Amino acid sequence: SSLAQVLNVDRRHSLALERALFRDMAPVKSIFALLALGQVATAVKPTTNKFLGAQHVNATHTMVEVAKTQATAPCQCEANSPSWVPAARTVPKCIFIDLGAADGNSFNAFLANSFGPVANCPSGKWEAYLVEANPRFVQPLGQLTTKYPTDVHVMATTAAFDCEGKTSFYLDTTSVQHNFWGSSLSSAHPDVQKSGMQHVDVTLVNLNRLLKEKTIPGDWVMVKMDIEGAEWDVLPCLAKADSASLIDRLYMEVHPGSLSMRGTKDPEFLAAKEALKKRGVDIPDYFSDTL
């Protein structure tokens, strides 16, 4: 039953109470059952335990707007495809999708309950997909797959986008104290330019397909997106994807719109963000801890 039925109040008051109980968790997607007041409550879909989000404390950094003209995007938005095979899994779990995984620091924060208590994951299970384009991080990410061979899936030298293909990825080689955080698909990124425009060839993974093929409605799906400007291209396409409704919480660090490869402007980006929120995707303010 819904929270409104449990407490015998109307939906408007139910929503207000849900917000108070679950901090900034968006109530519009999930149906909640109240298990304990003043203690841990678990958010649920009709038959599935859900994972409680937690306030994530993050470091911030400042980006400088740049005016350099962007190259065109390497491929076009692919929001949906009949060739994608939906996940056949039936047991729900937490799914942590880390776009811009670096050396696994955000994944380790996930395990340390910084994104919510892991013990509350549906069925007590979790799985992680770590996407990272910078070859600098191949070794530390490989160590995570060795440690968690069935639960951690690393996509190394792979960049998150909204379509598939190959492209150049530009390296930040100067921000040593910040874990080389400025590496980007955009050649206009100031840290990339400071590094002499060094680049490597990478594979592109389509977030929309990843969601479709690796998650199910009963999961608690978290997407951490720190992709140095590519969010301006990915988000409008994600808003058109059927699989976007599978996301429960999107932790997205927003960089200057000048890094968009499609020239996405503020109105389109904000409209996509609002469209996702209306579909039940919770999008709290977020800055990735990369220190």
Side-chain angles (χ1 to χ4, degrees):
S1 59
S2 70
L3 182 60
Q5 291 171 322
V6 171
L7 299 181
N8 194 28
V9 295
D10 63 32
R11 181 61 179 159
R12 178 171 56 85
H13 292 125
S14 170
L15 288 174
L17 181 55
E18 286 169 2
R19 290 189 180 98
L21 288 172
F22 302 109
R23 299 181 181 178
D24 63 351
M25 181 180 292
V28 292
K29 177 179 179 182
S30 303
I31 299 174
F32 293 91
L34 186 63
L35 299 183
L37 285 172
Q39 299 179 355
V40 175
T42 301
V44 299
K45 285 181 180 175
T47 58
T48 304
N49 289 332
K50 296 287 290 175
F51 180 74
L52 284 181
Q55 187 82 14
H56 187 68
V57 180
N58 308 285
T60 64
H61 66 82
T62 302
M63 291 287 297
V64 179
E65 284 283 359
V66 291
K68 182 172 179 176
T69 301
Q70 286 295 304
T72 56
C75 48
Q76 297 301 311
C77 162
E78 187 174 19
N80 303 287
S81 173
S83 67
W84 298 347
V85 180
R89 175 170 49 86
T90 57
V91 177
K93 59 180 71 175
C94 282
I95 302 293
F96 185 72
I97 299 175
D98 192 351
L99 310 179
D103 58 3
N105 56 312
S106 294
F107 167 70
N108 288 325
F110 161 72
L111 289 184
N113 301 316
S114 293
F115 292 88
V118 175
N120 287 359
C121 284
S123 308
K125 299 179 182 295
W126 60 265
E127 200 166 350
Y129 294 86
L130 311 182
V131 181
E132 175 54 53
N134 194 332
R136 180 182 296 274
F137 299 118
V138 168
Q139 182 177 356
L141 291 175
Q143 292 172 349
L144 291 175
T145 58
T146 300
K147 188 174 183 179
Y148 306 101
T150 61
D151 300 318
V152 171
H153 312 279
V154 169
M155 301 179 189
T157 61
T158 300
F161 209 56
D162 58 14
C163 49
E164 297 172 349
K166 301 280 188 179
T167 193
S168 294
F169 183 76
Y170 295 88
L171 302 176
D172 171 9
T173 61
T174 62
S175 303
V176 178
Q177 72 276 24
H178 296 304
N179 214 15
F180 308 97
W181 64 10
S183 301
S184 176
L185 287 171
S186 170
S187 60
H189 196 293
D191 291 334
V192 165
Q193 294 181 359
K194 290 176 186 176
S195 302
M197 306 283 287
Q198 299 179 54
H199 63 276
V200 294
D201 293 332
V202 298
T203 300
L204 296 174
V205 62
N206 187 340
L207 173 60
N208 306 317
R209 181 175 184 175
L210 183 63
L211 289 165
K212 183 74 171 182
E213 296 190 337
K214 302 301 182 183
T215 72
I216 61 175
D219 292 334
W220 174 259
V221 179
M222 293 160 281
V223 176
K224 191 225 80 179
M225 184 185 296
D226 183 7
I227 51 179
E228 300 302 317
E231 67 275 5
W232 287 80
D233 302 312
V234 171
L235 206 72
C237 187
L238 179 64
K240 302 173 185 175
D242 295 341
S243 58
S245 298
L246 293 164
I247 302 174
D248 290 281
R249 180 165 284 185
L250 171 60
Y251 295 95
M252 176 178 62
E253 182 167 321
V254 180
H255 303 84
S258 55
L259 300 179
S260 168
M261 290 186 289
R262 294 196 181 108
T264 305
K265 302 303 181 186
D266 285 354
E268 183 182 0
F269 185 78
L270 294 174
K273 187 176 180 180
E274 289 306 309
L276 289 168
K277 287 182 175 181
K278 288 179 180 178
R279 293 174 64 184
V281 181
D282 185 24
I283 311 178
D285 292 336
Y286 177 75
F287 293 91
S288 179
D289 184 359
T290 53
L291 299 179

